[in-house]
Amino acid sequence: MASNWKEKSPSEETLKSLEGVRSDNQNDCFLVQSEESTWGWFAFRPRCLQWLNSSRFLMAVLFFLTITQGMVSLTFVPMSLPSLERRFLLNSKQTGTLISAADITSMIFGTLASFYGGHSHKGKWLGCGAIISGLASAIYSLPHFLIEDYDPQSVSTKSLPFCVSNKTFVAKDEDCLTTARSSSSYYFIFILAQLLSGVGSSPLLSLAPAWLDENVHPKHTGLYLGMFFTAFIIGPGIGTMIGGKLLEVYVDIKMPPGLQLRPLDHRWIGAWWLGPFVFAFFLIISGFILLGFPSKVPGAVEMREEAIKNKYIIGKDNNLQGRLKDIVPATKSLFTNKVYIFQICGMISGTFAWYGAGPFLYKIIRDRYGAPQFLAGLFMSILSLIGGNVGVWIGSAVVRGLGLRDSCRKAAKFVFFANIFTMSILSFLVPGCEYPRYAGVDVPYPNSSLGQLQLSSSCNINCHCTTNQYSPMCDSRGVNFFSPCYAGCSPLDAKKGFANCSCTSIPSKLTMGPCKKRCSYLYLFVGYLFIMTVIGVCDQIPSDIVLFRSVPDNQRSYGLGIQFVLSKLMAALPGPIIIGYIIDETCSLWKTKCSQRGNCLNYDYDKLGWIIVSYGLPLKALSLMFYFLSWYYCKELEIRVATTTDDVNKTESNCKSTAV
């Protein structure tokens, strides 16, 4: 019976029957020459290591790879964006494009990997992908080693932050040209790393679940997929905690002499490069281990045939053999599958807003709700590590308890109702820190005679101020000034403790640094998002069950690949760019260098929240409609599959009777 199937390791008889066996010594650890069913590389296949050749160890390696991949791609890179914006003067649209760059190549190579990988050795695709991801991660950290040491005071520009009427600062053309070229070169390296990362990560979501599914019994699929998606959630969870601590390490490890900065200082930049650099090696090691696995672990072929016979899964479509000419009919078969296509459309429309906002979530928690680096990372790890895992295991328990693994219709029904209660997009309406006000930007200067809001005013017009150096100051009213120069403070005023500068109200005394923001509702925001994460993730396994049970057995990998590509093309690719553009549009104050706009210094996050919700809610309603249609057409699919299987069994029975 299929339920009695157990995974097997190579038996003594199997090993002895293999051709080309030779013994290097007197113990049992000899090399096996066959490559079809043993673990190892080329001719190096030690007998004493064949205990690794099992679905359990395969699950362990994929578990580790998925965690590491999630840490690098889904946490270290997004968490580095605020640091990259300040270090390399990038805006949110550029960093959003940086995130989307990986989706471009993963979309292209995901299609090829899912189709050809579905008809060939999936382990080789996954192993090579992991190695490429490791190289991409190392390249991502490369600009840190190429750029000069970070200068928090910007002393290299020789700019004066004070109001000095007889001096002016003008950047040399050649200096600006050099700065522009170097910034473009660093940005190109980041884009290249992300493009390679997309190539390396593309096989993971499409081939790994299918590879696990064909090496375990269908009754155990929910458990193994639950472990796989748990790893997909654990990775970002661990990554946010490690990334948060790394960002509390100074970017150059050692600070310049005489400088004592703290992570909460506005000039602080953490070691954004350290995580990608170190974990690149773990990705490469995982890749080499996966390259040692055979296509099928011992016993998997017999188990699969028995599962098809017992109607646990749909049999192969023998018209598709993995050839180039089969791509068109295979794609047509999937796009005309109503259950499959409506399920994917529901996933895309339901996650579009989060695909865009997700990479900026760390930045939002830190800037909008005032959480320090480590606390922001801790909250993100709670959301992904605890909330995501609880959701996955609830989904796995529901699959087993309600019998969803055996019914496409029941799984689709659960996905529909689970999504009714998932309204995580509303979390952006939770208010955060009060909006920082800047003189000349949000409020007029106290003694200004000009009718419009601008940094240059009558009180500082002779100070020859520059926006190249951002050195904020705070007055007693809670109003920020861009720098001592824009506050009209001379070096003499500095000696007096910045009292009675020309652009401030009298009497007034300024303090260095931005005004402290009163922040509230941080825990409400995280708590609401935690509940929505649990509900939103618990439908992941039932959704995959719908996809697995709605396509032929040899089209599962390609089906997951098409889902992966469509998600990237219609959600993950445009999402970060659109959200990055929206974030830039809510910026009220920019830092400039050489007359070029750099990174944003102040955002209107309340306005940003309303904009995200306004286009996220209609997409959520659309996703519910698609999930309902998928559930509706599942009944028709199950009837058709049952009828086809009965006809095949009757034909086989008649053939046997005729032969007798």
Side-chain angles (χ1 to χ4, degrees):
M1 295 294 293
S3 59
N4 296 327
W5 175 85
K6 296 180 180 179
E7 62 179 59
K8 304 175 182 178
S9 296
S11 63
E12 294 289 332
E13 293 75 11
T14 302
L15 289 170
K16 290 179 180 179
S17 63
L18 293 172
E19 296 182 359
V21 176
R22 65 181 179 87
S23 179
D24 289 341
N25 45 49
Q26 297 301 318
N27 58 29
D28 289 335
C29 195
F30 57 80
L31 303 183
V32 180
Q33 300 298 320
S34 174
E35 299 183 11
E36 294 183 0
S37 59
T38 54
W39 187 90
W41 307 279
F42 303 106
F44 180 76
R45 297 176 181 273
R47 182 182 181 185
C48 59
L49 294 181
Q50 295 311 307
W51 61 271
L52 302 175
N53 193 17
S54 66
S55 59
R56 291 188 181 92
F57 186 67
L58 173 62
M59 179 71 252
V61 178
L62 288 176
F63 191 85
F64 179 78
L65 170 62
T66 307
I67 288 177
T68 309
Q69 184 80 61
M71 291 173 65
V72 174
S73 301
L74 301 180
T75 53
F76 289 158
V77 172
M79 290 180 72
S80 70
L81 298 185
S83 300
L84 298 186
E85 290 179 1
R86 292 195 298 272
R87 187 75 170 99
F88 301 96
L89 297 180
L90 304 177
N91 55 50
S92 296
K93 185 178 180 181
Q94 287 176 304
T95 53
T97 304
L98 185 64
I99 294 294
S100 296
D103 297 322
I104 296 174
T105 48
S106 65
M107 178 181 63
I108 297 173
F109 285 90
T111 306
L112 300 176
S114 61
F115 183 78
Y116 290 108
H119 297 275
S120 59
H121 195 324
K122 297 179 178 63
K124 295 187 183 299
W125 287 84
L126 289 166
C128 292
I131 294 173
I132 294 174
S133 293
L135 295 176
S137 183
I139 293 174
Y140 188 84
S141 63
L142 184 60
H144 168 75
F145 301 97
L146 299 179
I147 197 173
E148 67 275 1
D149 289 345
Y150 174 53
D151 179 14
Q153 300 289 358
S154 299
V155 295
S156 60
T157 62
K158 306 299 182 189
S159 59
L160 294 174
F162 299 110
C163 177
V164 182
S165 59
N166 60 347
K167 291 186 178 181
T168 185
F169 170 77
V170 179
K172 296 180 180 180
D173 292 339
E174 57 268 22
D175 292 341
C176 289
L177 185 59
T178 301
T179 300
R181 286 177 176 174
S182 60
S183 298
S184 299
S185 300
Y186 299 140
Y187 188 62
F188 172 78
I189 293 175
F190 289 129
I191 291 292
L192 175 62
Q194 284 293 89
L195 291 174
L196 287 175
S197 177
V199 174
S201 62
S202 59
L204 189 60
L205 275 178
S206 58
L207 295 183
W211 199 22
L212 286 173
D213 185 48
E214 65 189 29
N215 280 286
V216 301
H217 192 276
K219 287 185 176 294
H220 303 151
T221 299
L223 175 63
Y224 275 73
L225 288 180
M227 295 175 65
F228 175 76
F229 287 110
T230 296
F232 214 85
I233 293 170
I234 288 178
I238 297 176
T240 50
M241 288 191 291
I242 295 177
K245 291 301 293 183
L246 292 178
L247 289 175
E248 291 186 344
V249 177
Y250 186 68
V251 62
D252 296 318
I253 306 301
K254 292 185 178 180
M255 292 188 192
L259 187 64
Q260 296 294 329
L261 293 182
R262 293 291 182 267
L264 292 179
D265 194 292
H266 68 278
R267 296 167 294 175
W268 178 269
I269 295 180
W272 58 269
W273 55 274
L274 197 53
F277 179 75
V278 172
F279 283 87
F281 297 98
F282 292 108
L283 287 171
I284 295 174
I285 292 172
S286 300
F288 278 109
I289 295 176
L290 282 176
L291 289 176
F293 277 96
S295 179
K296 302 286 192 303
V297 298
V301 175
E302 296 81 2
M303 174 274 301
R304 201 72 185 168
E305 293 174 352
E306 190 173 359
I308 294 175
K309 181 179 179 180
N310 291 333
K311 304 179 185 179
Y312 286 121
I313 57 178
I314 303 174
K316 294 182 178 181
D317 185 348
N318 294 322
N319 294 322
L320 303 175
Q321 301 295 331
R323 297 163 298 192
L324 182 62
K325 65 178 182 179
D326 292 333
I327 292 182
V328 174
T331 306
K332 180 181 178 182
S333 173
L334 291 176
F335 275 83
T336 55
N337 186 327
K338 296 177 182 178
V339 175
Y340 172 84
I341 202 66
F342 283 135
Q343 189 72 13
I344 289 181
C345 289
M347 294 169 63
I348 292 173
S349 54
T351 58
F352 183 90
W354 273 109
Y355 266 120
F360 300 101
L361 185 59
Y362 171 81
K363 178 178 181 177
I364 291 173
I365 293 177
R366 197 194 68 177
D367 294 345
R368 188 184 186 191
Y369 296 96
Q373 284 91 333
F374 176 71
L375 189 59
L378 179 62
F379 283 140
M380 287 191 64
S381 67
I382 291 174
L383 293 175
S384 58
L385 188 60
I386 300 179
N389 271 302
V390 171
V392 165
W393 287 107
I394 288 177
S396 181
V398 168
V399 167
R400 295 193 304 270
L402 300 182
L404 305 187
R405 60 193 174 194
D406 300 324
S407 173
C408 172
R409 185 160 54 94
K410 290 181 181 179
K413 179 180 179 180
F414 176 82
V415 171
F416 170 71
F417 282 103
N419 274 270
I420 291 179
F421 299 99
T422 308
M423 300 297 293
S424 55
I425 195 69
L426 295 179
S427 62
F428 287 99
L429 295 183
V430 177
C433 302
E434 61 179 350
Y435 176 68
R437 298 176 300 161
Y438 278 82
V441 178
D442 305 292
V443 294
Y445 287 97
N447 302 321
S448 175
S449 60
L450 300 179
Q452 57 183 357
L453 290 175
Q454 56 184 20
L455 284 175
S456 296
S457 180
S458 58
C459 61
N460 59 28
I461 197 169
N462 295 320
C463 294
H464 304 287
C465 301
T466 174
T467 56
N468 287 355
Q469 185 172 349
Y470 173 62
S471 301
M473 304 189 72
C474 179
D475 72 358
S476 56
R477 301 175 303 154
V479 176
N480 294 282
F481 290 85
F482 190 91
S483 69
C485 181
Y486 282 104
C489 299
S490 65
L492 182 61
D493 293 326
K495 295 179 180 180
K496 299 178 181 179
F498 295 107
N500 302 325
C501 295
S502 61
C503 290
T504 61
S505 57
I506 299 177
S508 179
K509 185 175 182 180
L510 300 178
T511 57
M512 290 299 300
C515 300
K516 291 185 178 180
K517 298 182 292 185
R518 289 192 295 270
C519 301
S520 55
Y521 304 111
L522 170 62
Y523 294 97
L524 175 62
F525 173 77
V526 175
Y528 178 80
L529 205 55
F530 178 86
I531 297 174
M532 291 297 102
T533 299
V534 172
I535 299 175
V537 173
C538 73
D539 72 336
Q540 179 65 59
I541 296 177
S543 182
D544 276 358
I545 294 292
V546 174
L547 296 179
F548 281 156
R549 302 297 175 252
S550 63
V551 299
D553 183 52
N554 59 340
Q555 279 193 275
R556 290 172 300 108
S557 295
Y558 190 49
L560 286 176
I562 291 296
Q563 173 209 339
F564 179 77
V565 169
L566 291 178
S567 297
K568 295 292 185 182
L569 178 63
M570 303 179 68
L573 179 60
I577 299 176
I578 293 175
I579 295 296
Y581 176 80
I582 292 174
I583 291 176
D584 284 343
E585 288 299 307
T586 61
C587 179
S588 61
L589 183 62
W590 292 91
K591 182 178 181 181
T592 61
K593 188 172 184 179
C594 298
S595 302
Q596 297 294 322
R597 194 171 73 175
N599 57 300
C600 181
L601 300 172
N602 195 31
Y603 293 102
D604 187 348
Y605 279 108
D606 290 334
K607 179 181 178 182
L608 173 65
W610 280 105
I611 294 176
I612 293 178
V613 171
S614 65
Y615 87 86
L617 285 179
L619 290 172
K620 183 63 180 179
L622 191 63
S623 73
L624 290 175
M625 182 189 72
F626 286 131
Y627 281 132
F628 177 79
L629 291 174
S630 177
W631 170 31
Y632 176 81
Y633 285 107
C634 266
K635 181 177 181 180
E636 176 185 326
L637 175 67
E638 289 185 343
I639 295 175
R640 186 169 67 251
V641 170
T643 303
T644 303
T645 305
D646 290 339
D647 291 341
V648 171
N649 291 337
K650 289 179 181 178
T651 302
E652 291 180 352
S653 180
N654 292 334
C655 290
K656 291 179 180 179
S657 300
T658 303
V660 172

